């Protein structure tokens, strides 16, 4: 799959559910309306769709959500997708999770071929954690992280930089990640979905500022490490671990974009920051043959846009993209 700008599409992110057991303040409103169950693809359908993408050249699959590990029987999907690792058709099967269910699933994930996961932790303060996630408990996530470590799964922590919320903890997070052997990525808050509550402009903290602040206490060396994602990495001299910075608003990372995103209803988004999408559920259900699906995918990749246009400033207080991150999976 090659798009009109010559980019090879080799990375598929799949939101397996829009539901979640947390209600992070920057991601969801507390009283979120979720998609009706009838619209959601079955695990078998998700498997079939992912497998078509693997046949078409996708080498990396990331399951996300919502919270992927709260979808009922999700491990049957993980196990079945693991067959593509065994056959060599897929290089990596991974997931992004809030960690709430990791203690339960870490061993099984490892068993299915998952070698790396991203876990979101915005703070190491239990009260703050409860305030940010509304429904989450830090202790449960830390137990999940310990289980992942024991299972031999490499962990990268995702931290959303939130002005006035966790910006006094960046040094502590870097030190903790170093001690635990985790990589760490800081993410700027993105204008996605109506979240009710605090204005995003108030939460927005450019990671360039954050980096400058970290440089006062840590030796950061630029690294050419690339994961095919939008993060720029540095290595921390004192801990030997990597830190990534994701700057979707202040930086354009679109030239090297190799990814597309699939929602749990079978909608394919060619860009996180654009509304344009293609329905793959109809062609999926139309026939047992994959021909209609292949045609729909070709058509969709043929209109992958050059880049996003996120804007966050005083004139644009409305979300630049109306869907929530939990729909497209971040
Ligand atoms: N529930 C899982 C989790 O939290 O890791 C997976 C889905 S979550 C939508 C994926 C990532 O998106 C998380 O790291 C989360 O912090 C991040 N995220 C959610 N809303 C965001 C926003 N508005 N701006 C920036 N990052 C966001
Ligand atoms: Fe749930 Fe992840 Fe969104 Fe938090 S960021 S509400 S854990 S989907």
């Amino acid at each position: 799959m090659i798009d009109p700008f010559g980019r090879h599409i080799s990375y598929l992110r799949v939101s397996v559910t829009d539901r979640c057991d947390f209600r992070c303040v920057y991601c969801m409103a507390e009283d979120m309306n979720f998609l009706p169950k009838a619209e959601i693809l079955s695990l078998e359908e998700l498997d079939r769709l992912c497998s078509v993408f693997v046949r078409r050249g996708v080498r990396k699959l990331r399951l996300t959500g919502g919270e992927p590990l709260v979808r009922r029987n999700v491990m049957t999907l993980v196990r079945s997708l693991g067959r593509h690792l065994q056959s060599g058709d897929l290089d990596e099967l991974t997931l992004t999770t809030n960690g709430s269910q990791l203690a339960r699933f870490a061993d099984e994930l490892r068993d299915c071929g998952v070698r790396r996961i991203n876990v979101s932790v915005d703070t190491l303060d239990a009260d703050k954690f409860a305030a940010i996630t509304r429904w989450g408990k830090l202790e449960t996530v830390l137990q999940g992280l310990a289980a992942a470590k024991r299972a031999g799964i490499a962990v990268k922590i995702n931290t959303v930089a939130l002005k006035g919320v966790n910006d006094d903890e960046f040094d502590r997070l870097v030190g903790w990640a170093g001690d635990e052997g985790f990589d760490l990525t800081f993410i700027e808050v993105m204008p996605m979905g109506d979240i009710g509550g605090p204005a995003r402009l108030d939460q927005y903290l450019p990671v360039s500022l954050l980096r400058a602040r970290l440089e006062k206490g840590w030796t950061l060396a630029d690294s050419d490490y690339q994961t095919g994602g939008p993060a720029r990495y540095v290595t921390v001299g004192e801990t030997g671990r990597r830190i990534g910075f994701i700057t979707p608003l202040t930086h354009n990372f679109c030239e090297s974009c190799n990814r597309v995103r699939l929602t749990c209803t079978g909608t394919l988004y060619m860009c996180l920051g654009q509304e344009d999408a293609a329905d793959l559920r109809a062609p999926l259900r139309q026939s047992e043959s994959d021909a209609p699906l292949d045609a729909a995918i070709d058509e969709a990749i043929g209109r992958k846009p050059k880049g996003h246009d996120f804007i966050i400033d005083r004139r644009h207080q409305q979300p630049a993209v109306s869907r929530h991150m939990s729909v497209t999976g971040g």
Side-chain angles (χ1 to χ4, degrees):
M1 294 178 289
I2 300 177
D3 80 0
F5 305 96
R7 295 170 298 191
H8 279 262
I9 308 305
S10 57
Y11 182 5
L12 178 69
R13 297 170 75 107
V14 187
S15 175
V16 299
T17 175
D18 64 327
R19 286 160 199 261
C20 189
D21 53 345
F22 290 5
R23 289 289 180 279
C24 301
V25 290
Y26 49 76
C27 180
M28 294 191 182
E30 189 150 23
D31 56 346
M32 281 287 285
N33 290 320
F34 292 108
L35 294 162
K37 287 227 164 81
E39 284 193 27
I40 310 272
L41 298 184
S42 68
L43 293 173
E44 292 74 19
E45 288 175 318
L46 278 171
D47 181 272
R48 186 178 154 205
L49 255 180
C50 291
S51 301
V52 167
F53 275 97
V54 171
R55 169 169 60 70
R56 302 289 310 264
V58 158
R59 305 290 312 177
K60 175 170 172 179
L61 265 178
R62 176 177 299 275
L63 306 185
T64 175
E67 174 46 41
L69 295 180
V70 299
R71 171 131 189 198
R72 195 189 307 173
N73 295 329
V74 70
M75 291 311 297
T76 58
L77 176 65
V78 179
R79 190 165 291 281
S80 119
L81 291 174
R83 74 187 184 280
H84 298 303
L85 293 167
Q86 279 167 2
S87 70
D89 292 332
L90 192 64
D91 295 329
E92 184 167 36
L93 175 60
T94 183
L95 72 163
T96 302
T97 171
N98 65 21
S100 68
Q101 313 296 317
L102 261 184
R104 185 149 63 107
F105 289 129
D107 287 337
E108 207 177 341
L109 285 169
R110 163 88 204 181
D111 210 41
C112 296
V114 174
R115 295 291 175 265
R116 290 199 313 159
I117 53 173
N118 289 6
V119 183
S120 303
V121 179
D122 299 328
T123 173
L124 292 171
D125 177 296
D127 292 336
K128 254 195 235 178
F129 190 89
I132 295 174
T133 62
R134 292 196 186 103
W135 297 2
K137 264 184 80 178
L138 177 64
E139 188 52 35
T140 312
V141 173
L142 294 180
Q143 285 165 4
L145 285 169
K149 222 163 118 169
R150 275 197 306 276
I153 298 176
V155 171
K156 184 168 76 82
I157 302 293
N158 281 346
T159 300
V160 177
L162 298 162
K163 190 159 79 182
V165 179
N166 63 359
D167 51 354
D168 57 340
E169 277 191 84
F170 296 150
D171 287 319
R172 183 177 177 202
L173 281 159
V174 170
W176 169 73
D179 292 344
E180 294 286 335
F182 302 151
D183 287 339
L184 172 63
T185 295
F186 289 104
I187 309 172
E188 278 173 7
V189 72
M190 286 188 253
M192 296 193 69
D194 181 8
I195 45 167
R200 255 181 249 272
L201 193 63
D202 297 338
Q203 302 173 334
Y204 178 59
L205 178 84
V207 295
S208 52
L209 254 176
L210 187 162
R211 178 179 172 160
R213 247 199 259 168
L214 286 180
E215 273 170 338
K216 292 186 183 147
W218 306 92
T219 316
L220 308 183
D222 278 317
S223 148
D224 51 13
Y225 176 73
Q226 282 286 345
T227 57
R232 298 274 171 275
Y233 287 92
V234 298
T235 306
V236 185
E238 290 77 4
T239 67
R241 303 305 313 180
R242 270 186 294 261
I243 303 185
F245 300 97
I246 301 190
T247 61
L249 303 177
T250 53
H251 219 269
N252 220 328
F253 54 78
C254 303
E255 306 88 66
S256 59
C257 180
N258 61 354
R259 62 186 60 191
V260 288
R261 297 176 154 84
L262 185 69
T263 72
C264 56
T265 57
T267 304
L268 188 73
Y269 284 96
M270 283 71 82
C271 173
L272 179 65
Q274 302 272 2
E275 299 281 1
D276 188 33
D279 172 41
L280 299 184
R281 187 175 55 185
L284 176 83
R285 290 183 175 168
Q286 180 185 332
S287 161
E288 276 182 21
S289 147
D290 287 340
L293 204 48
D294 277 322
I297 291 172
D298 283 337
E299 198 273 332
I301 300 296
R303 56 191 167 88
K304 182 168 160 67
K306 193 162 179 208
H308 68 69
D309 14 74
F310 283 124
I311 309 168
I312 215 176
D313 68 21
R314 299 207 178 271
R315 279 170 298 124
H316 299 82
Q317 283 279 2
Q318 290 306 312
V321 171
S322 61
R323 64 183 186 276
H324 288 88
M325 191 72 115
S326 50
V327 172
T328 8

